Amino acid sequence: MLRDSLPTDDSLFVVSLTVSDAIRPKVTVTLDGEQGVGIDECAQVSRRLARRIDEQYGEDASYTLEVTSPGADQPLRDPRQYTRHVGRSLNLKLADGTEKTGTLEAVEAEGIQLAEVVKEKSKKKTLPAALVPFQDIQEARVVISFK
């Protein structure tokens, strides 16, 4: 049902879907796209999805529907989200418990190329880009800079 509510050109994809456990459930759909997602696209998907829910469960179904895009502070959850962040700084938490920060140089089918920034004595040094497999990334966040 959700897939049928998205544009047919695959420009958007679902990052997460949650349903609260309440008397009046809240359905939250987080969308993203390789070029980002705007409010008009969220509104369009929301209308389509609400119409589909009404068809399936009846117009008297009691729920709250929220269709949104991931905020700047939200972790990247889908490999397709990395593409538009090439050139930006990322903070990674890896499955082995280590953390890395560096510039996202490229996105490949199996992972990302990250030019890690490390501290050496009192200076910062950028290492050559190295592959970090998606399976090793527990959490990735874009480092927001206000410089």
Side-chain angles (χ1 to χ4, degrees):
M1 175 182 342
L2 181 55
R3 185 170 297 251
D4 295 338
S5 300
L6 295 175
T8 56
D9 62 2
D10 290 333
S11 60
L12 299 179
F13 52 88
V14 177
V15 175
S16 68
L17 171 68
T18 59
V19 180
S20 70
D21 187 21
I23 294 172
R24 184 176 183 181
K26 180 178 180 181
V27 178
T28 304
V29 180
T30 305
L31 302 176
D32 208 349
E34 289 183 14
Q35 304 301 318
V37 60
I39 193 165
D40 292 338
E41 293 156 314
C42 287
Q44 181 183 22
V45 171
S46 179
R47 286 190 297 273
R48 288 178 177 177
L49 189 53
R51 197 168 35 246
R52 296 286 306 212
I53 291 172
D54 290 347
E55 289 171 3
Q56 187 73 30
Y57 299 102
E59 292 182 19
D60 294 332
S62 180
Y63 66 93
T64 303
L65 176 62
E66 177 182 33
V67 177
T68 186
S69 62
D73 62 337
Q74 294 298 305
L76 305 178
R77 300 179 190 274
D78 187 295
R80 294 173 286 186
Q81 288 182 283
Y82 289 83
T83 304
R84 78 170 192 273
H85 296 292
V86 170
R88 291 186 170 163
S89 184
L90 295 183
N91 180 280
L92 304 179
K93 291 182 182 175
L94 302 179
D96 65 5
T98 61
E99 292 189 27
K100 293 182 180 207
T101 299
T103 303
L104 175 59
E105 298 288 332
V107 180
E108 299 178 5
E110 62 277 352
I112 62 171
Q113 290 287 336
L114 186 77
E116 185 179 5
V117 176
V118 294
K119 288 185 180 181
E120 238 178 45
K121 297 183 183 176
S122 62
K123 296 181 181 181
K124 289 185 179 180
K125 178 182 177 182
T126 302
L127 302 176
L131 180 69
V132 179
F134 288 121
Q135 66 191 24
D136 293 351
I137 301 172
Q138 186 174 27
E139 183 178 275
R141 292 181 185 266
V142 175
V143 177
I144 301 170
S145 174
F146 296 100
K147 292 182 183 180

